[in-house]
């Protein structure tokens, strides 16, 4: 078997052409595709990270807003309770003042009624005593007593006049 | 000289002596020209009431009781 140099050279050139063609038409595009894919994955990762960060930020903001809303709600409830307590106390105080005034008024009314009743009773009693006195005297005075009374009154009247 | 009418009211009739004594006293007070008229009024209860013109001297028990009644009213 002879070594044929031109054949070897031809084979080498042929191999080189094939390698060159493969490199140019296959290897580079594949590398390019891989690079692009790698870039896409990297971009996707970055996007995912950004999304995660945004989500995390959103979660924090949400928690903060919730906390703020709870604080505000608690403050509103506390204020409402305070106002309600103030109103309750005011109503109670007003009711007490009103009740006191009503009691005083009724007491005054009662005293007035009592006094009026007492006056009426005294008046009626005095009238009754005088009526009885009138009747008793009318019956009790005999002629002699009448005469004495007249003498006595005549002296007194003329003396006074 | 005009005559003054003097009315003497009592719860019972005056005795003669009482009337004479009263007449003397009234004449001393109002003059001799008075005309005395007596009247029995049981509502006076006792005592005497003399009316001479517009003047009235009331010594009746009715008057005394009325005064007491008025005083009691003013006190109540």
């Amino acid at each position: 078997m002879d070594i044929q140099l031109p054949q070897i050279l031809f084979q080498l050139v042929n191999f080189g052409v094939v390698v060159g063609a493969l490199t140019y038409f296959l290897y580079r595009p594949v590398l390019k595709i891989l690079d692009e894919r790698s870039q896409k994955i990297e971009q996707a990762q970055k996007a995912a990270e950004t999304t995660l960060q945004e989500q995390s930020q959103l979660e924090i903001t949400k928690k903060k807003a919730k906390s703020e809303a709870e604080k505000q709600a608690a403050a509103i409830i506390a204020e409402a309770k305070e106002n309600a307590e103030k109103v309750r106390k005011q109503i109670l105080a007003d009711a007490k003042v009103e009740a006191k005034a009503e009691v005083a008024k009724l007491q005054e009314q009662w005293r007035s009624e009592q006094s009026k009743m007492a006056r009426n009773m005294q008046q009626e009693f005095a009238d009754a005593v005088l009526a009885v006195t009138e009747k008793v005297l009318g019956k009790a005075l005999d002629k002699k007593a009448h005469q004495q009374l007249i003498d006595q009154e005549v002296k007194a009247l003329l003396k006074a006049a | 000289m005009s005559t003054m009418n003097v009315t003497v009211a009592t719860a019972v009739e005056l005795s003669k002596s009482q009337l004479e004594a009263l007449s003397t006293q009234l004449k001393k007070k109002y003059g001799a020209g008075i005309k005395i008229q007596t009247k029995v009024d049981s509502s006076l209860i006792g005592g005497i009431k003399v009316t001479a013109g517009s003047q009235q001297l009331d010594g009746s028990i009715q008057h005394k009781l009325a005064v007491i009644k008025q005083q009691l009213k003013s006190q109540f």
Side-chain angles (χ1 to χ4, degrees):
Chain A
M1 187 173 172
D2 292 335
I3 296 168
Q4 293 178 350
L5 192 62
Q7 190 68 29
I8 291 170
L9 281 173
F10 176 76
Q11 288 297 330
L12 279 173
V13 169
N14 201 17
F15 182 74
V17 168
V18 168
V19 166
L22 282 173
T23 301
Y24 185 79
F25 291 108
L26 189 68
Y27 182 67
R28 279 185 180 172
V30 167
L31 270 181
K32 196 181 173 187
I33 288 167
L34 285 173
D35 277 348
E36 281 175 2
R37 199 175 169 188
S38 176
Q39 276 178 2
K40 278 183 184 175
I41 288 167
E42 199 176 331
Q43 279 175 356
Q45 273 182 340
K46 277 184 184 175
E49 278 174 12
T50 306
T51 306
L52 278 173
Q53 275 180 355
E54 279 176 1
Q55 199 179 357
S56 172
Q57 196 62 39
L58 193 67
E59 199 64 35
I60 290 167
T61 308
K62 199 175 156 186
K63 277 183 183 172
K64 202 175 170 184
K66 191 184 171 189
S67 169
E68 194 64 31
E70 280 173 355
K71 274 183 188 173
Q72 282 181 357
I76 288 167
I77 289 169
E79 196 182 337
K81 277 184 181 173
E82 198 180 328
N83 285 340
E85 184 63 20
K86 275 183 189 172
V87 169
R88 189 186 71 81
K89 280 182 180 172
Q90 187 60 45
I91 288 169
L92 200 65
D94 287 350
K96 275 183 184 174
V97 168
E98 209 173 312
K100 208 173 171 183
E102 192 62 28
V103 167
K105 191 181 162 188
L106 287 173
Q107 279 177 340
E108 183 55 38
Q109 226 171 13
W110 168 244
R111 274 196 289 272
S112 172
E113 285 292 323
Q114 220 176 8
S115 174
K116 197 177 167 185
M117 269 172 66
R119 275 201 306 274
N120 285 342
M121 281 174 72
Q122 283 171 333
Q123 187 63 54
E124 281 173 18
F125 180 72
D127 285 347
V129 167
L130 288 172
V132 170
T133 307
E134 214 173 287
K135 280 184 182 173
V136 168
L137 280 175
K139 286 179 184 173
L141 290 173
D142 59 7
K143 196 170 181 182
K144 194 181 170 187
H146 270 296
Q147 303 301 344
Q148 280 176 351
L149 195 60
I150 289 166
D151 288 342
Q152 191 183 318
E153 288 302 323
V154 166
K155 275 181 195 169
L157 287 176
L158 292 172
K159 196 178 171 184
Chain B
M1 191 177 168
S2 62
T3 306
M4 182 187 254
N5 285 322
V6 178
T7 307
V8 177
T10 51
V12 293
E13 211 169 334
L14 287 169
S15 67
K16 200 175 175 184
S17 60
Q18 273 180 324
L19 188 58
E20 280 172 7
L22 183 62
S23 176
T24 309
Q25 294 292 331
L26 290 173
K27 277 175 184 169
K28 268 188 194 173
K29 184 171 174 59
Y30 297 112
I34 59 167
K35 188 181 172 187
I36 298 172
Q37 193 181 352
T38 60
K39 192 172 110 179
V40 175
D41 182 357
S42 60
S43 70
L44 296 177
I45 304 165
I48 184 169
K49 186 161 98 175
V50 179
T51 309
S54 60
Q55 194 181 8
Q56 196 174 62
L57 303 172
D58 200 341
S60 67
I61 288 178
Q62 183 199 42
H63 176 66
K64 288 181 196 297
L65 287 174
V67 171
I68 291 169
K69 197 171 180 176
Q70 198 56 43
Q71 282 173 348
L72 286 173
K73 265 189 182 174
S74 66
Q75 276 178 9
F76 301 150

